[in-house]
Amino acid sequence: MSPCHKKGETCSLFNAVNLTENANNEIEEIDGASSIVLSEYSGLTMRAVRNILHKHNIPIRKIGQPRKHQLNESFFKEWSNEMAWVLGLIVTDGCLNKDQYTISIAQKDTEILRKVAKVLDSDFVLSKNQTPSLLLNSKIMYKDLEEKGITPSKSLTTKIPDIPEKYVPHFMRGVIDGDGWVQDRGYVMNITTASIDFANGLYDIFNHWRLNTEIITYKTMNNKPYYRVWVKGKTSIQALAKIIYNDDCDLCIAYKKQRMTQWNEV
């Protein structure tokens, strides 16, 4: 009798939680073993293997076609300088599509998108929209972002994620790269958002850094409010630049960095 037959049929081989099954029910895997191998090992038919897994509530998920493009799907699982910067870009310039578990980052500056692709170990796949967008397709990354409060309809509800303090400068650099405007003379900077919670969060960060900051409310043509969080004055811009460009300076939009750091060079 085979090792997993009868009362031994719930052996450790079937205790794995990552059984995957394709749409045609032809290829199933547990820890890398195909259903053919499992069937031969247990002495059971492939249907019996599936029935046992179903009986013991071991989840079965469809894998479909293999991944077409390279991507580090664990990128958002652990905090790093790079992760915090990309998160700031996604909060401001990103879009999540739940139906396809797609994350897109829109930027006119394709060089920034290339930098994002590089830190994500991702192939450089752009959409064909008017504004270039880096496309990322991953349910794992989508769920990790969702856990950090990033949702598909985020424009009105965005809040500052719970970020370890050491990574806040990198996150803020990503936010400024996404939705920040820096005056060419380097005296003022603002970030535009439709979320009052996000605006208040930005204000709290700038205030904590002892910068000259304020929130001003504006109205669209449809009379809907939006907010600009300002940092004003050469001294405050200079201080902000020293905080957010202290390292990893290559991960930024070059002209914004130049405008903000010009007074540090005097």
Side-chain angles (χ1 to χ4, degrees):
M1 184 177 292
S2 62
C4 288
H5 232 309
K6 299 302 180 183
K7 74 174 184 178
E9 67 185 13
T10 59
C11 70
S12 60
L13 181 66
F14 297 123
N15 286 336
V17 296
N18 288 325
L19 176 75
T20 60
E21 179 177 64
N22 77 353
N24 297 320
N25 292 332
E26 293 175 350
I27 302 175
E28 298 135 42
E29 295 182 352
I30 297 181
D31 291 340
S34 71
S35 60
I36 295 174
V37 173
L38 296 177
S39 177
E40 291 177 351
Y41 178 84
S42 64
L44 303 173
T45 66
M46 291 171 58
R47 175 175 293 181
V49 168
R50 291 195 295 271
N51 288 340
I52 291 169
L53 296 173
H54 179 75
K55 173 183 175 181
H56 295 283
N57 297 317
I58 296 176
I60 298 174
R61 66 180 178 86
K62 296 181 180 181
I63 58 174
Q65 296 180 345
R67 171 170 292 283
K68 293 172 62 177
H69 301 290
Q70 179 177 320
L71 179 64
N72 176 12
E73 294 188 279
S74 299
F75 183 78
F76 292 107
K77 291 189 177 299
E78 294 187 11
W79 284 100
S80 67
N81 297 346
E82 294 83 1
M83 191 269 264
W85 175 68
V86 174
L87 186 65
L89 280 171
I90 290 176
V91 166
T92 51
D93 275 347
C95 180
L96 277 65
N97 184 322
K98 188 173 184 178
D99 293 335
Q100 299 178 346
Y101 294 110
T102 298
I103 305 151
S104 62
I105 305 173
Q107 266 283 344
K108 293 179 180 178
D109 185 350
T110 57
E111 183 59 29
I112 283 295
L113 299 180
R114 289 186 184 277
K115 291 179 180 180
V116 173
K118 183 177 180 179
V119 298
L120 288 172
D121 295 327
S122 169
D123 292 335
F124 190 56
V125 183
L126 292 184
S127 72
K128 297 181 180 180
N129 297 333
Q130 186 174 1
T131 301
S133 297
L134 179 67
L135 300 180
L136 310 169
N137 187 269
S138 169
K139 184 176 181 179
I140 293 172
M141 296 180 82
Y142 182 97
K143 292 294 184 182
D144 288 341
L145 288 171
E146 204 170 43
E147 288 180 3
K148 290 177 172 56
I150 315 302
T151 59
S153 303
K154 64 181 178 58
S155 60
L156 299 176
T157 60
T158 301
K159 297 181 180 179
I160 300 291
D162 186 12
I163 308 169
E165 187 172 358
K166 66 183 289 188
Y167 299 115
V168 173
H170 306 282
F171 173 79
M172 292 300 292
R173 189 172 68 250
V175 169
I176 292 171
D177 282 342
D179 276 346
W181 170 83
V182 184
Q183 183 193 52
D184 56 359
R185 293 183 295 162
Y187 286 101
V188 293
M189 185 280 305
N190 70 56
I191 299 166
T192 302
T193 178
S195 168
I196 185 59
D197 290 332
F198 193 62
N200 285 331
L202 295 174
Y203 175 88
D204 289 342
I205 291 172
F206 291 144
N207 192 52
H208 177 70
W209 288 343
R210 300 182 181 278
L211 306 177
N212 179 23
T213 183
E214 67 173 328
I215 301 174
I216 298 179
T217 303
Y218 301 83
K219 292 290 184 70
T220 67
M221 294 182 66
N222 296 326
N223 207 35
K224 293 182 179 180
Y226 66 97
Y227 313 93
R228 282 192 176 138
V229 186
W230 292 83
V231 174
K232 297 182 176 182
K234 185 175 81 171
T235 301
S236 285
I237 294 296
Q238 187 178 34
L240 176 60
K242 287 182 178 179
I243 293 170
I244 68 173
Y245 297 114
N246 59 350
D247 53 20
D248 292 337
C249 292
D250 184 52
L251 297 180
C252 64
I253 291 181
Y255 82 85
K256 292 183 181 181
K257 176 185 175 183
Q258 188 278 326
R259 290 180 178 184
M260 292 184 65
T261 59
Q262 60 184 296
W263 296 115
N264 296 346
E265 301 168 358
V266 176

